[in-house]
Amino acid sequence: MPADLNLRLGLPGSDQTDVDAAKSNKRASPEKAEDTASNGVPAAKSADDHETAPAPKAQIVGWPPVKSYRKSTAAAVKKAEAESGMYVKVSMDGAPYLRKIDIKLYNGYSHLLTALEDMFKLSIEREGYKGSEYAPAYEDKDGDLMLVGDVPWEMFMSSCKRLRIMRGADARGLGCAQ
Amino acid sequence: MCLFQSVMNYLPKEVLEHVFDFLTSHHDRNAVSLVCESWYGVERFSREKVFIGNCYAVNPERLIDRFPRLRSLTLKGKPHFADFNLVPDGWGGHVYPWIEAMAKSGINLEELRLKRMVVSDESLELLAKSFPNFKSLVLVSCEGFTTDGLAAIASNCRLLRELDLQENEVDDRKGQWLSCFPESCTSLVSLNFACLKGEVNVAALERLVARCPNLRSLRLNHTVPVEVLQKILVRAPQLSDLGTGTFTHDPDSETYVKLKNAMKNCRSIRSLSGFLDVNGRCLPAIYPICTSLTSLNLSYAPGIFSNELIKLICHCKKIERLWILDTIGDKGLGVVANTCKELQELRVFPSDLYGVGNTAVTEEGLVAISAGCPKLNSILYFCQQMTNAALITVAKNCPNFIRFRLCTLNPIVPDAATNQPLDEGFGAIVQSCKRLTRLSVSGLLTDQLFLYIGMYAEQLEMLSIAFAGDSDKGMLYVLNGCKKLKKLEIRDSPFGNMALLSDMGKYETMRSLWMSSCEVTLGACKTLAEKMPRLNVEIINENEAGEDKASCDDRHRVEKMYLYRTLAGPRTDAPDFVWTL
């Protein structure tokens, strides 16, 4: 039995179990969210802790109140993005033309680098740049040139706009963070 | 009787008619028709535009009988909560009987505007063939038709000026409906097919645009590529409202350069939308027109990241209407507040509808907007959290709200700072905003809020309530206090029979009442229906469609009830699962 007897209402899943009793006619949200929320404070800013997420939106019919047309359009856009593949250009320093690959086909950096090695018939540096090999870099959505391998694979997939296989003086000091 | 009054009585009908011509608002015309029989007569023969907020409130024959000179009709069908899947398919709202009746009576229909109605291809075909002067078709949130119906409109309506399809569910038959506009069609002023999913014949589109010099508004769908957009803009630099198709292309390409130049030449564009499929790096192409934009809708463009949005907004100093996604973030809203001093209407939609993710706007963004945008009068705001303090500040900064809709993603979230209900915050809004006509509330709310609404919201016409209140008192405060209330929609709230039955006459002064997942029982609904013959009390019962209605226990709670005033009696087209008491 909670220490305070007040029917103080907090977020679902907070310590006051009498919330549910008082609001038993309310649908879905409080009961179902009990599992996920672990404290009474809305988790707007703490992105890391899944436990403090707000009530699962998809479980209440018609909430949040967004027109079904809008929902289906958003879903269609997401689906199109998922199906369309993520083709990015790959340039290699010194090569006369570029190639294109679908990043979605690869399940990780190792897989990607192996494929690039295969495609360009070269060997990509993985431990540290020694001057004779190639280093893989990519252009992200802000237009910056980044070393491949620093960020989690999923993040890389969504931010990589273009790949560039560098060699020579440009790549000095780089090494794949694999 | 004073001299003035006697003079008015002897004014010839033509003069009265001429005077009434100056009355454009439905409200004024309705008022005038109630003055006396002679004015009623003159008014009804001169009325050309009619607005019917609930298609079941009156039947088509009565409309035609009273207004034989009808030229423009606006009809609304399903209840608002149908937008959120609360009304099952097949409920009703068919336009066919209206078109059929008008066609039979020789009405010279020129304009038809429908919202939340079921529009079949047959109705569109009948419409297209029955009214030779038909000029304007506007369909908002409708369903039931395919591109075949559009082909009928395009082929037959020789004087068509406007075909505006907003957010409809259309079955795209991938036909050539756009090619059905004959070469002789040069009168188009407005064409909006953004909601269509299929490809259109782009060559036909370009030719159509080229031969319609009065085209002012064009909204493409996502299948129209940038290359075609660029060509269209070259042919139609006079456009004032543009909806792009896909907006993805290589910013280094020649097409991009051509597009940018074409945009520069479109000095009249004031309204921009679309961007369904967008690469944020292509946005600079539209910077030249941003400076004169008054309306911008980026709410279907999840592909634009926050920083790109912010860069774009910085150019939009004259924006009056802005629809965006919450990816803009509080920081982005701060930029809007600093830049968009002419802003009147803001809508911030949620971007993450299915994930658990944290949305990017909170009460901070709202407060910033209220402080920076003195002309703000209409807001729809989906947010992660809210506080009373923020709402009180917003109320102080913006006493001019006409529409205020706030939606917290967790429907019963309390004040993020104090854990209290949000009663005081919303209370401040209704107290400060004396001209508020529409309000949607959410978050943790008690009867206290409804006491405030009843006390202060004197102009309120539409109120939406979900997961709020403690007892019948809440609903009673609203019914007793809000004299101008027209539409009340309530879901998942503990309001029951006592509140429903306390002032039954009130519902004849309102357009409709929706209550779902509340405490109202079948018995109470029956009582109401019996005492108020001019109301249709509908019970929507999806689960028990086959059950014998007589065996339903009066003490059972009703899952969905929709009642509305009507002169037409119980409707004849109700499906099985709708029971009119």
Side-chain angles (χ1 to χ4, degrees):
Chain A
M1 176 73 171
D4 50 330
L5 295 171
N6 297 331
L7 280 180
R8 189 167 60 80
L9 298 163
L11 248 198
S14 50
D15 289 327
Q16 298 89 334
T17 51
D18 28 9
V19 169
D20 295 331
K23 301 273 176 193
S24 60
N25 59 311
K26 298 229 163 144
R27 301 294 181 264
S29 168
E31 290 82 16
K32 295 207 173 153
E34 223 176 307
D35 306 325
T36 58
S38 61
N39 60 32
V41 178
K45 320 270 179 168
S46 57
D48 38 15
D49 190 357
H50 184 93
E51 293 273 285
T52 56
K57 302 156 208 167
Q59 298 192 315
I60 310 174
V61 172
W63 198 270
V66 173
K67 268 191 193 174
S68 41
Y69 169 83
R70 184 173 285 279
K71 273 194 194 156
S72 64
T73 306
V77 169
K78 270 207 166 106
K79 188 164 174 252
E81 275 173 13
E83 285 172 1
S84 66
M86 285 174 146
Y87 280 94
V88 296
K89 290 182 188 171
V90 187
S91 61
M92 184 174 86
D93 289 357
Y97 50 79
L98 284 63
R99 302 295 300 272
K100 245 189 176 167
I101 58 167
D102 180 358
I103 313 182
K104 282 240 174 85
L105 295 177
Y106 308 105
N107 53 31
Y109 286 118
S110 178
H111 194 187
L112 171 68
L113 293 176
T114 308
L116 288 175
E117 286 177 329
D118 215 42
M119 188 184 259
F120 289 94
K121 305 285 183 278
L122 45 73
S123 165
I124 290 181
E125 200 51 73
R126 292 178 205 245
E127 292 299 310
Y129 185 64
K130 292 191 183 70
S132 58
E133 307 280 16
Y134 294 85
Y138 71 99
E139 194 182 310
D140 73 356
K141 55 184 193 259
D142 292 326
D144 297 320
L145 192 63
M146 316 283 294
L147 178 65
V148 165
D150 284 332
V151 299
W153 175 250
E154 283 73 24
M155 196 186 285
F156 167 75
M157 279 211 294
S158 62
S159 54
C160 172
K161 294 299 169 217
R162 211 175 147 128
L163 277 163
R164 184 179 155 193
I165 301 177
M166 302 171 70
R167 84 155 162 190
D170 300 330
R172 201 176 301 282
L174 288 179
C176 179
Q178 251 284 294
Chain B
M1 208 196 301
C2 77
L3 178 66
F4 177 74
Q5 282 172 313
S6 43
V7 164
M8 287 302 272
N9 276 344
Y10 292 114
L11 282 175
K13 292 207 165 116
E14 294 77 18
V15 175
L16 276 178
E17 212 180 288
H18 185 66
V19 171
F20 293 170
D21 269 350
F22 290 97
L23 298 173
T24 45
S25 98
H26 298 291
H27 188 258
D28 290 341
R29 283 224 156 220
N30 291 345
V32 142
S33 69
L34 292 173
V35 167
C36 64
E37 269 194 44
S38 125
W39 282 34
Y40 178 88
V42 173
E43 198 283 316
R44 76 179 254 251
F45 281 111
S46 63
R47 174 110 68 147
E48 294 182 343
K49 286 193 183 174
V50 176
F51 168 85
I52 295 178
N54 173 5
C55 65
Y56 290 119
V58 76
N59 60 36
E61 289 73 32
R62 197 185 175 110
L63 166 73
I64 294 164
D65 196 50
R66 182 172 167 192
F67 300 117
R69 297 254 186 92
L70 179 67
R71 293 220 205 158
S72 163
L73 178 63
T74 303
L75 279 173
K76 292 190 180 180
K78 299 187 211 175
H80 176 235
F81 274 177
D83 280 350
F84 317 129
N85 296 336
L86 290 178
V87 176
D89 281 339
W91 174 84
H94 302 275
V95 75
Y96 189 87
W98 294 85
I99 297 176
E100 191 185 23
M102 287 187 288
K104 280 206 183 118
S105 309
I107 292 284
N108 182 18
L109 193 68
E110 293 183 11
E111 273 181 28
L112 187 61
R113 309 168 75 90
L114 305 176
K115 186 166 186 181
R116 262 180 245 116
M117 293 202 68
V118 177
V119 181
S120 60
D121 281 346
E122 287 72 32
S123 359
L124 290 176
E125 278 156 29
L126 185 60
L127 177 70
K129 296 191 175 140
S130 310
F131 306 108
N133 292 322
F134 193 74
K135 295 189 173 73
S136 164
L137 180 63
V138 180
L139 302 178
V140 180
S141 300
C142 296
E143 51 160 355
F145 61 103
T146 76
T147 44
D148 291 348
L150 298 178
I153 297 286
S155 310
N156 296 295
C157 300
R158 292 178 196 288
L159 299 177
L160 195 69
R161 283 198 209 144
E162 182 173 24
L163 178 60
D164 186 359
L165 308 170
Q166 298 177 31
E167 301 184 333
N168 303 290
E169 301 279 0
V170 185
D171 189 6
D172 203 311
R173 296 263 167 91
K174 310 219 184 326
Q176 294 282 327
W177 68 273
L178 198 66
S179 315
C180 292
F181 281 106
E183 290 302 313
S184 54
C185 171
T186 57
S187 48
L188 272 183
V189 172
S190 166
L191 178 63
N192 172 5
F193 59 93
C195 64
L196 295 186
K197 304 206 171 56
E199 288 186 13
V200 293
N201 182 329
V202 293
L205 174 61
E206 286 178 51
R207 284 197 306 270
L208 181 63
V209 170
R211 67 177 183 270
C212 292
N214 296 323
L215 192 67
R216 285 280 171 280
S217 167
L218 179 64
R219 296 190 186 191
L220 312 170
N221 74 353
H222 73 100
T223 67
V224 178
V226 167
E227 292 75 13
V228 175
L229 170 64
Q230 177 261 319
K231 286 192 209 156
I232 287 176
L233 290 179
V234 168
R235 291 212 203 253
Q238 79 283 4
L239 283 177
S240 62
D241 170 26
L242 174 67
T244 68
T246 166
F247 210 74
T248 300
H249 52 92
D250 189 345
D252 300 321
S253 69
E254 203 187 314
T255 307
Y256 178 78
V257 175
K258 281 194 197 163
L259 178 69
K260 215 172 173 164
N261 289 334
M263 287 269 178
K264 272 192 208 140
N265 226 15
C266 294
R267 293 173 221 285
S268 305
I269 295 184
R270 297 288 171 269
S271 166
L272 193 58
S273 60
F275 302 98
L276 280 161
D277 174 22
V278 59
N279 177 344
R281 292 192 301 164
C282 303
L283 287 178
I286 64 167
Y287 288 174
I289 49 172
C290 284
T291 37
S292 29
L293 276 185
T294 56
S295 169
L296 179 60
N297 181 356
L298 294 172
S299 64
Y300 285 104
I304 308 182
F305 300 113
S306 172
N307 55 333
E308 290 156 345
L309 262 178
I310 290 174
K311 268 192 240 162
L312 179 64
I313 298 283
C314 288
H315 289 82
C316 302
K317 296 192 167 47
K318 296 211 188 125
I319 283 283
E320 293 170 15
R321 206 171 85 131
L322 180 63
W323 292 22
I324 40 175
L325 291 170
D326 60 11
T327 45
I328 193 169
D330 285 332
K331 183 168 156 235
L333 288 176
V335 174
V336 172
N338 288 333
T339 315
C340 309
K341 297 301 181 186
E342 303 297 316
L343 192 66
Q344 293 175 26
E345 176 183 326
L346 175 67
R347 297 196 190 189
V348 181
F349 293 96
S351 55
D352 188 4
L353 289 165
Y354 299 100
V356 178
N358 302 297
T359 53
V361 298
T362 69
E363 73 276 10
E364 278 179 36
L366 184 60
V367 170
I369 294 281
S370 73
C373 304
K375 299 192 183 177
L376 192 65
N377 62 36
S378 171
I379 188 148
L380 169 62
Y381 197 74
F382 285 83
C383 57
Q384 182 80 334
Q385 62 183 50
M386 189 47 55
T387 65
N388 285 308
L391 284 172
I392 291 169
T393 306
V394 169
K396 251 190 243 151
N397 292 337
C398 290
N400 295 321
F401 276 119
I402 299 173
R403 286 177 291 273
F404 190 89
R405 293 193 279 167
L406 193 92
C407 179
T408 54
L409 291 158
N410 173 345
I412 55 167
V413 72
D415 181 320
T418 66
N419 249 10
Q420 294 301 301
L422 289 172
D423 301 336
E424 297 306 310
F426 280 106
I429 295 283
V430 293
Q431 195 178 353
S432 163
C433 303
K434 311 235 186 289
R435 281 184 276 164
L436 196 68
T437 57
R438 183 167 180 184
L439 178 66
S440 296
V441 296
S442 63
L444 187 64
L445 299 165
T446 73
D447 285 346
Q448 181 69 16
L449 166 64
F450 300 113
L451 174 64
Y452 290 144
I453 292 179
M455 274 171 70
Y456 296 114
E458 292 174 7
Q459 302 300 319
L460 197 66
E461 293 177 6
M462 182 169 177
L463 178 62
S464 309
I465 301 171
F467 301 95
D470 310 307
S471 74
D472 282 337
K473 277 202 245 167
M475 186 168 161
L476 279 173
Y477 291 141
V478 171
L479 291 175
N480 293 335
C482 299
K483 302 293 178 209
K484 299 225 174 143
L485 196 63
K486 284 203 196 133
K487 287 188 281 187
L488 180 58
E489 46 186 25
I490 307 172
R491 61 168 292 187
D492 295 272
S493 300
F495 305 137
N497 299 341
M498 204 261 280
L500 181 71
L501 298 176
S502 67
D503 180 6
M504 294 188 263
K506 172 84 177 170
Y507 306 126
E508 278 192 4
T509 68
M510 289 167 55
R511 188 186 298 172
S512 64
L513 168 67
W514 168 281
M515 292 182 77
S516 59
S517 306
C518 296
E519 299 292 317
V520 172
T521 68
L522 183 57
C525 294
K526 282 184 178 170
T527 306
L528 180 56
E530 206 185 293
K531 296 242 161 75
M532 306 293 299
R534 288 195 297 190
L535 296 179
N536 275 356
V537 180
E538 292 186 7
I539 309 295
I540 297 169
N541 215 339
E542 301 155 89
N543 303 324
E544 298 154 42
E547 244 185 56
D548 177 17
K549 287 173 178 164
S551 72
C552 276
D553 193 332
D554 278 2
R555 289 166 302 175
H556 272 163
R557 273 207 328 235
V558 155
E559 190 51 38
K560 292 178 183 171
M561 178 203 73
Y562 180 55
L563 66 83
Y564 49 91
R565 66 180 176 189
T566 180
L567 296 171
R571 54 186 177 108
T572 49
D573 64 353
D576 274 341
F577 55 82
V578 172
W579 179 14
T580 305
L581 295 174

